[in-house]
Amino acid sequence: MLTPNQIAIVKSTIPLLASAGSQITDHFYSRMFSHNPELKNIFNMSHQHSGRQSVALFNAVAAYAQHIDNLPVLQAAVERIAQKHTSFDIRPEQYAIVGHHLIHTLKELAPDAFTPEVEDAWTAAYQQLADIFIQREGEIYQQNAHSTGGWEGARRFRLQASKQESELVKSFIFTPVDQQPVVGYQPGQYLGIRVQPSRSDYQEMRQYSLSDQANGSSYRISVKREQGDIDGLVSNFLHDELNIGDEVELFAPAGDFFFTDRQQPVVLISAGVGITPMMATLETLAQEGYPQPVSFLHACEHAGQHSFDRRLHELSECLSLSAHVWYNQGADTDAIAAGRLHQGLMALHTLREELPLLKGDFYLCGPVGFMRFIKQQLVELGVGTERIHYEVFGPHADL
């Protein structure tokens, strides 16, 4: 338990953190990977190169320092991060490594300000935060391990089938090598996967949204082929090198973004590969015969990048489903005239009379810029922010 004096000291360092900015996290990651290169088997190095992970970590440290005397404010963030950590198989001993490098980073960047008293306060503060995560992650691990079909840690799976869904997106179906059942999941959650690409010196871990309803025997993920040697390292390995019968390691489904049945109209809004958790939700609603109206709004570049188009038409027979698609280019004029295909950017005001603006739940997934654009439109149309739910691929970002 932190003392009042330690809390005051940590809060007093907020200006120091703000002035250092991402310098802290850049130095931290450089230091940690230099001393503990084995952690490169866990961290997504593409996020290191893009800077997204550094920004996310800095924001998390700053938020913790700001609210250290009112931790319930951080409950949602803790849950989101804890869920992500279990899909990386993060363990208590790794918190000790991170804490060691964080404290030494602060000492090295601000030797005059980081007195022994400040060091003691931050050491206690970090341990308090680590204990919160360790406890919650332990609960998630235990829940997974004791659920029907559940497990803890890595489990071997075999690629049973694959299917090209569009120019950039390919689906992969995995079944367990031990031929035992697999644990269920909430539509919208993701799956952790560990592979060894031929072009990487390290094992690589990623999370991909599950794109089908839970069935107790297999998992399906649908992966976009990313461009570049860094961003596309794992996706290109899956698209080009993983063959039927090959084995991978999977971690139990996780994630705090998922469909919650409130028996209200539902609006699923996506762009690009953000369609994947929406398909899992739509498949689940169809299988359950969801009685409320469902709207499915999707945006992509053109018809060649429109994943699951045929399946969407099939599901429309099982639900009270209204579907609209926006192509940024190349939309067919006859389809536009029919009213369900649109050209350009997604414009929700054109559907003002059709959308359940007063009582519907809105689920968003896609690039951060797209989701900010859509959230702004929804708020302007009168949708309360408590009814807008979203998923960010990679390190979290606020809309």
Side-chain angles (χ1 to χ4, degrees):
M1 179 70 70
L2 289 172
T3 68
N5 185 53
Q6 288 173 325
I7 291 174
I9 289 173
V10 170
K11 290 180 74 70
S12 72
T13 60
I14 293 176
L16 176 63
L17 295 176
S19 64
S22 61
Q23 181 184 2
I24 292 176
T25 47
D26 290 343
H27 185 90
F28 162 77
Y29 280 116
S30 176
R31 190 184 204 283
M32 184 174 68
F33 289 139
S34 175
H35 288 80
N36 295 93
E38 73 278 5
L39 294 182
K40 291 184 178 181
N41 289 306
I42 297 175
F43 284 83
N44 184 333
M45 300 309 293
S46 69
H47 293 155
Q48 302 299 318
H49 287 273
S50 70
R52 293 180 64 194
Q53 187 64 59
S54 294
V55 171
L57 178 61
F58 173 78
N59 289 340
V61 171
Y64 175 56
Q66 181 180 356
H67 299 290
I68 195 168
D69 52 352
N70 186 23
L71 294 181
V73 173
L74 302 176
Q75 183 175 353
V78 167
E79 180 64 19
R80 180 177 62 251
I81 295 170
Q83 292 283 340
K84 181 74 75 173
H85 281 180
T86 62
S87 70
F88 280 113
D89 200 32
I90 299 297
R91 297 295 173 170
E93 57 270 21
Q94 290 159 339
Y95 278 96
I97 296 174
V98 169
H100 170 80
H101 292 295
L102 178 61
I103 297 302
H104 279 272
T105 292
L106 296 174
K107 288 174 64 176
E108 290 163 4
L109 291 182
D112 295 333
F114 211 72
T115 64
E117 188 179 32
V118 174
E119 180 179 350
D120 288 344
W122 264 100
T123 299
Y126 174 80
Q127 190 57 57
Q128 173 180 267
L129 182 62
D131 288 343
I132 292 172
F133 280 115
I134 290 170
Q135 177 180 346
R136 177 58 187 136
E137 289 157 20
E139 293 170 351
I140 297 172
Y141 285 131
Q142 288 300 306
Q143 181 180 355
N144 285 334
H146 292 98
S147 297
T148 301
W151 73 95
E152 184 175 351
R155 184 176 174 184
R156 302 292 299 182
F157 279 71
R158 184 175 290 115
L159 180 62
Q160 180 187 46
S162 63
K163 178 185 178 183
Q164 198 72 38
E165 304 289 359
S166 64
E167 288 181 0
L168 297 179
V169 176
K170 189 175 185 179
S171 287
F172 302 87
I173 297 176
F174 296 100
T175 55
V177 172
D178 61 19
Q179 299 183 331
Q180 297 300 304
V182 300
V183 69
Y185 55 88
Q186 299 292 330
Q189 291 189 302
Y190 49 79
L191 195 68
I193 181 171
R194 181 162 62 195
V195 296
Q196 179 68 66
S198 60
R199 294 188 293 108
S200 176
D201 294 330
Y202 301 95
Q203 291 182 314
E204 299 286 346
M205 300 178 69
R206 298 291 189 271
Q207 289 76 32
Y208 295 108
S209 294
L210 291 144
S211 60
D212 204 354
Q213 61 178 310
N215 59 31
S217 60
S218 65
Y219 293 123
R220 186 181 77 177
I221 59 174
S222 301
V223 180
K224 176 188 175 184
R225 181 194 292 274
E226 301 289 351
Q227 302 300 313
D229 292 338
I230 297 174
D231 291 342
L233 181 62
V234 173
S235 66
N236 282 280
F237 166 78
L238 294 174
H239 275 251
D240 298 333
E241 299 185 50
L242 194 67
N243 299 310
I244 303 300
D246 287 350
E247 295 183 11
V248 300
E249 291 182 317
L250 298 184
F251 299 88
D256 68 328
F257 170 81
F258 49 82
F259 170 73
T260 300
D261 187 354
R262 296 188 177 92
Q263 284 301 304
Q264 295 288 354
V266 176
V267 183
L268 307 175
I269 306 177
S270 61
V273 75
I275 196 173
T276 52
M278 304 310 180
M279 288 305 300
T281 302
L282 200 61
E283 294 280 2
T284 302
L285 295 179
Q287 198 263 344
E288 295 176 353
Y290 193 70
Q292 297 291 330
V294 178
S295 298
F296 193 92
L297 314 181
H298 181 64
C300 57
E301 279 300 306
H302 49 73
Q305 294 185 14
H306 187 179
S307 304
F308 304 106
D309 184 22
R310 181 175 298 178
R311 181 58 179 158
L312 182 62
H313 287 294
E314 294 172 352
L315 292 173
S316 65
E317 301 177 2
C318 310
L319 291 165
S320 176
L321 179 65
S322 172
H324 290 267
V325 177
W326 281 258
Y327 290 165
N328 196 34
Q329 54 182 302
D332 180 82
T333 54
D334 291 338
I336 291 175
R340 296 300 176 184
L341 183 63
H342 311 267
Q343 178 89 34
L345 300 180
M346 187 179 291
L348 300 184
H349 71 273
T350 61
L351 306 179
R352 181 192 299 269
E353 301 302 321
E354 183 177 325
L355 296 176
L357 301 175
L358 298 180
K359 60 179 181 178
D361 282 302
F362 294 75
Y363 294 84
L364 282 56
C365 190
V368 172
F370 166 80
M371 291 193 293
R372 287 187 179 132
F373 175 61
I374 295 302
K375 181 181 179 181
Q376 180 181 356
Q377 292 186 55
L378 290 174
V379 171
E380 291 174 352
L381 289 171
V383 179
T385 56
E386 74 281 357
R387 292 188 285 116
I388 302 174
H389 320 280
Y390 66 96
E391 171 77 322
V392 174
F393 293 145
H396 185 73
D398 293 320
L399 301 188

